[in-house]
Amino acid sequence: MADPHSKTDAAHGTHAATEAEGHGGGGGLPQFESQHWAGQMGYLLILFFLLYILVAKVFAPRLRRVMDERTSTISGAVETARKVQAEAAEQAAAAKAEVEQARAESRRVAAEAKARVTAEAAERAAAQEAEVNAKIEAAEAAIAKTRDAAMSNVSTIATETAGAIVERLTGKAATAAELKGAA
């Protein structure tokens, strides 16, 4: 029968031999050993040219196309915005002009209405004033007629009153000629 530790010893021996071979020769990293540099430079150049071709022929044109599309989209949007802004400014100016015209028209209509109302009021006032003046003249004429009638009666009343006073004071009636002279 075999020793159970012999397998383990054999595995350890193989591992120990591998370690001695890998680290025993140069004592450092294989990348820094000059015997491997030629192969590393070849792979480096191949990978550099492969990446350069991919960037130059695939990635850069796609990126340029995206950037050009973005630039054209932005410039188109800016141009559209300028057109819309110009149209809005024109519409605002037209609306402002319409508002000013409407205000001027309303002022004109208000002035005409005020003038018409003022003229109508002046006409009514003149008509009423003429009517009042006519009534005043008629009243003055009636007053003058009443006054003249009263004045004519006053002399008759004064003559009669004077006759009654004389008769009472003297006891004799006064003659018509004496009464006329007293009045």
Side-chain angles (χ1 to χ4, degrees):
M1 200 168 175
D3 186 17
H5 294 292
S6 64
K7 271 188 177 180
T8 310
D9 289 338
H12 284 304
T14 307
H15 179 63
T18 308
E19 284 182 11
E21 283 178 23
H23 293 296
L29 294 173
Q31 296 92 327
F32 294 126
E33 292 180 11
S34 59
Q35 64 191 16
H36 299 293
W37 283 4
Q40 290 176 355
M41 290 293 188
Y43 280 119
L44 180 66
L45 289 174
I46 289 171
L47 287 175
F48 178 77
F49 284 119
L50 183 64
L51 285 175
Y52 178 77
I53 289 171
L54 280 174
V55 168
K57 300 296 181 185
V58 177
F59 299 128
R62 285 182 184 176
L63 183 62
R64 184 170 294 125
R65 190 172 38 246
V66 168
M67 295 298 282
D68 290 343
E69 287 176 10
R70 182 177 177 200
T71 303
S72 66
T73 302
I74 290 172
S75 64
V78 167
E79 185 63 31
T80 302
R82 285 184 181 151
K83 286 179 183 178
V84 168
Q85 185 179 17
E87 289 175 10
E90 289 175 7
Q91 290 176 355
K96 187 176 180 181
E98 288 177 8
V99 166
E100 288 300 322
Q101 185 179 7
R103 284 182 181 165
E105 181 67 20
S106 66
R107 285 186 200 118
R108 183 189 61 78
V109 168
E112 287 177 0
K114 183 179 178 181
R116 187 178 66 244
V117 167
T118 303
E120 289 174 1
E123 288 176 14
R124 280 194 308 259
Q128 289 175 352
E129 188 176 340
E131 184 179 322
V132 168
N133 286 339
K135 287 180 181 179
I136 289 173
E137 287 178 15
E140 286 178 353
I143 289 171
K145 186 177 178 184
T146 304
R147 185 187 65 220
D148 291 341
M151 290 309 274
S152 68
N153 288 339
V154 167
S155 63
T156 306
I157 293 172
T159 306
E160 289 176 3
T161 305
I165 291 174
V166 169
E167 186 177 330
R168 228 179 175 173
L169 289 176
T170 60
K172 294 187 196 175
T175 64
E178 292 173 340
L179 290 176
K180 266 192 178 182

